Amino acid sequence: METVSSSIPLENFIVLSSMLFSIGVYGVLARRNAVLILMSVELMLNAVSINMVAFAVYTAPSLFVGIIFAIFVITIAAAEVGLALAIVLRVFKNRGTANVDEIDTLKW
Amino acid sequence: MTQVFFYLISAVVIAGALGVVLVRNVVYAALLLIMSLMGVAGIYILLSVEFLALVQVLVYGGAVTVLVLFALMLTRTGELKEKLDGEQKPLAAVAAIALLGTFLAMIMQTAWPRDVNQLTVVPFTDIGDALFNRWAVPFEIASGVLLVALIGAVVIAMQEEGER
């Protein structure tokens, strides 16, 4: 493995990923359509992946832990989005809505 | 030069993400999600992890976005001016800005070592080697999780007997 010096400091990637994560948090909290909430969750997962990959290549490249973990995050995100969209479809068939604030059977 | 590209790609990522959470049209939101996630692939290339960039384009640009667009199409209610945001929107903005402020304060306070600007170029073959030797068991478990989740998704979304 070779190392090259980069003109971009590590902090820039961390700042980018925290901005992306905060935007995702806003989307999850503010949206009421379940599919849009899932899209915001994808943004948050990507922010975490950027963070881990940046730390992996800048500080701890041994065993590629950060990169391998990012691959697993992508795998689990694919599984999550498939399953969650199936649940949204089922809820839509049963209740006629995909808005999370109208699905309140468990609320008392 | 690299820095110019970094700021350009970051702008694409952040603009796309803001679009996802702010626009009033769900299909535009899905298309802006593609833009943002392809920007993340560009960030991976700047970090010299080309493998992840390719995976990102394949999985997010292809699979996830198509799934999201299909879900949007199948859950349309026909209301033209449907409200996409809840009444808790201002509180959500406060929470997100507070979170971002906390993150930025922590980043500013951390004493980043100045000698870490050495970026390790990880070759494709080494990632494959690590994935299938050192991390073989988690890899197999992850593939099992993916299989179970996708079969579960098919079962959940399947039409039941006597349904419409």
Side-chain angles (χ1 to χ4, degrees), chain A residues 4 29 31-32 46 90, chain B residues 56 83-84 88 119 158:
Chain A
V4 292
L29 293 176
R31 293 296 207 185
R32 64 199 279 266
N46 271 275
R90 168 58 49 192
Chain B
Q56 178 87 4
K83 213 155 72 61
L84 292 174
Q88 74 280 16
L119 194 149
M158 208 159 46

Side-chain angles (χ1 to χ4, degrees), chain B residues 1-47:
Chain B
M1 195 62 198
T2 327
Q3 271 181 320
V4 174
F5 275 115
F6 175 79
Y7 289 116
L8 217 64
I9 296 173
S10 300
V12 169
V13 171
I14 297 295
L18 280 175
V20 170
V21 298
L22 293 178
V23 293
R24 294 177 176 282
N25 183 323
V26 283
V27 180
Y28 290 168
L31 296 178
L32 285 163
L33 182 71
I34 307 184
M35 179 174 124
S36 184
L37 297 181
M38 292 306 100
V40 173
I43 293 287
Y44 288 149
I45 288 181
L46 283 182
L47 286 166

Side-chain angles (χ1 to χ4, degrees), chain A:
Chain A
M1 281 188 292
E2 50 166 335
T3 57
V4 292
S5 67
S6 167
S7 54
I8 312 164
L10 174 60
E11 303 97 285
N12 289 16
F13 290 103
I14 312 302
V15 170
L16 171 69
S17 99
S18 48
M19 282 164 87
L20 197 56
F21 190 86
S22 305
I23 294 172
V25 168
Y26 171 76
V28 168
L29 293 176
R31 293 296 207 185
R32 64 199 279 266
N33 184 317
V35 182
L36 287 171
I37 290 178
L38 281 172
M39 283 157 63
S40 306
V41 170
E42 294 299 317
L43 290 179
M44 287 161 74
L45 287 167
N46 271 275
V48 174
S49 292
I50 293 179
N51 212 342
M52 283 189 297
V53 174
F55 274 116
V57 297
Y58 274 97
T59 59
S62 64
L63 288 178
F64 320 109
V65 183
I67 296 167
I68 302 287
F69 217 98
I71 295 174
F72 286 142
V73 168
I74 291 175
T75 315
I76 300 303
E80 169 251 321
V81 79
L83 198 51
L85 289 175
I87 293 172
V88 172
L89 278 186
R90 168 58 49 192
V91 167
F92 183 77
K93 271 184 199 160
N94 288 344
R95 307 289 303 260
T97 179
N99 292 335
V100 288
D101 52 355
E102 288 169 37
I103 305 158
D104 52 3
T105 319
L106 276 177
K107 201 165 143 191
W108 55 282

Side-chain angles (χ1 to χ4, degrees), chain B residues 14-122:
Chain B
I14 297 295
L18 280 175
V20 170
V21 298
L22 293 178
V23 293
R24 294 177 176 282
N25 183 323
V26 283
V27 180
Y28 290 168
L31 296 178
L32 285 163
L33 182 71
I34 307 184
M35 179 174 124
S36 184
L37 297 181
M38 292 306 100
V40 173
I43 293 287
Y44 288 149
I45 288 181
L46 283 182
L47 286 166
S48 77
V49 197
E50 292 93 343
F51 177 69
L52 268 182
L54 292 176
V55 170
Q56 178 87 4
V57 171
L58 274 176
V59 173
Y60 283 107
V64 168
T65 325
V66 170
L67 264 178
V68 167
L69 281 170
F70 262 98
L72 286 175
M73 190 183 77
L74 292 171
T75 59
R76 262 198 327 190
T77 47
E79 287 175 48
L80 276 179
K81 288 281 170 213
E82 206 189 1
K83 213 155 72 61
L84 292 174
D85 297 320
E87 291 105 39
Q88 74 280 16
K89 198 174 168 181
L91 286 177
V94 170
I97 290 170
L99 186 68
L100 180 62
T102 316
F103 282 152
L104 291 182
M106 283 195 301
I107 293 166
M108 294 302 159
Q109 280 179 12
T110 309
W112 299 98
R114 280 298 107 201
D115 57 341
V116 297
N117 285 357
Q118 292 292 320
L119 194 149
T120 312
V121 180
V122 183

